[in-house]
Amino acid sequence: MVENHSQSYVYSPFARLLHWLIAGLIFAQLIIGWTMPDVHHDTLPTGEIAWHLGVGAAIVAVMAIRIIWRMTHAPEPAELSPQLRFASNATHWLLYTLLLVVPLAGWANASARGWMVNLLGVLPYPALAPKGSSTGMALGDIHSVLAWVLLAVIALHIAAALFHRFVFRDSVLKRML
Ligand code: HEM
Ligand code: HEM
């Protein structure tokens, strides 16, 4: 009985909505980040850069909801060997950490440049660093490097999901579809 239930477990509709919403926003944000013009000290936050700040503000809001939801709604663990369970938990923890640290570093950098960050053009976010702050400027470099780390961990995560589906042929991928 118990085994059957955990094999057919799927994440709740809201958890799945949040997962795929964040996935879409992150892919868009990486593309915008790498195609937008280089940012210099006199750059204005217009065009693609404005899009990056707007999508970034949405990521911050959705991640705040997602973390609160996850802390109050633990999913049923997948049936995995102890080693795979450890690898899976470690990757998910790393993803959550990067999904928090990367946007916060970008936001602090935007504040240090004196750029306003707001949600859907209406809800202003507070500045995370004073204008001209050297820490805020350094966080811009950290943001850029960690965006690559995030991409690498996402690639590992997707490879693992496909491995479950096509090599192990288990029901792990179905849990999130
Ligand atoms: C930007 C892209 C993505 C990010 C940031 C991301 C992030 C995450 C995170 C943080 C979790 C843990 C959920 C939790 O337990 O609270 C998760 C679970 C999951 N993700 Fe993704 N994901 C992404 C894309 C994908 C893609 C493209 C697939 C499928 C090919 C996928 C398949 C899954 C599956 C199957 C789970 C559930 C694993 C389990 O039940 O243990 N994800 N994802
Ligand atoms: C997970 C979410 C995010 C991802 C994946 C991401 C990704 C990127 C990428 C790839 C770049 C270009 C780096 C380069 O040219 O080497 C970048 C730059 C930048 N991002 Fe983000 N970003 C995210 C969230 C945010 C947020 C929330 C903000 C602000 C509200 C933001 C503000 C910036 C700024 C100001 C730069 C220019 C940094 C500099 O050149 O010093 N980003 N981001």
Side-chain angles (χ1 to χ4, degrees):
M1 271 289 265
V2 174
E3 268 179 27
N4 278 346
H5 183 238
S6 59
Q7 272 177 16
S8 59
Y9 175 85
V10 284
Y11 279 78
S12 69
F14 191 57
R16 281 179 280 146
L17 173 74
L18 292 174
H19 175 270
W20 293 110
L21 186 58
I22 283 291
L25 288 170
I26 296 292
F27 283 126
Q29 188 71 331
L30 286 169
I31 293 168
I32 298 170
W34 282 316
T35 57
M36 70 190 190
D38 283 348
V39 175
H40 302 291
H41 69 276
D42 55 352
T43 303
L44 292 174
T46 55
E48 265 200 292
I49 298 175
W51 273 100
H52 192 76
L53 300 182
V55 173
I59 290 172
V60 169
V62 179
M63 274 314 293
I65 296 169
R66 187 170 180 193
I67 287 170
I68 293 169
W69 182 263
R70 180 62 168 81
M71 286 186 340
T72 51
H73 299 76
E76 209 170 283
E79 277 193 21
L80 300 173
S81 66
Q83 295 86 339
L84 274 186
R85 162 80 39 85
F86 175 80
S88 160
N89 285 343
T91 311
H92 293 166
W93 262 100
L94 193 54
L95 279 169
Y96 275 117
T97 305
L98 288 166
L99 292 174
L100 202 62
V101 171
V102 174
L104 289 180
W107 176 3
N109 182 253
S111 303
R113 294 178 187 283
W115 296 349
M116 271 300 292
V117 177
N118 51 65
L119 186 60
L120 303 172
V122 286
L123 182 70
Y125 285 9
L128 277 195
K131 193 172 175 189
S133 144
S134 53
T135 310
M137 294 311 282
L139 283 169
D141 295 336
I142 292 174
H143 178 72
S144 303
V145 172
L146 287 185
W148 282 104
V149 178
L150 177 62
L151 179 67
V153 181
I154 289 170
L156 175 72
H157 174 67
I158 295 174
L162 297 178
F163 217 75
H164 277 288
R165 172 68 188 80
F166 296 108
V167 180
F168 299 143
R169 292 174 188 273
D170 60 24
S171 54
V172 167
L173 178 56
K174 271 201 237 140
R175 287 158 57 89
M176 200 44 103
L177 295 179

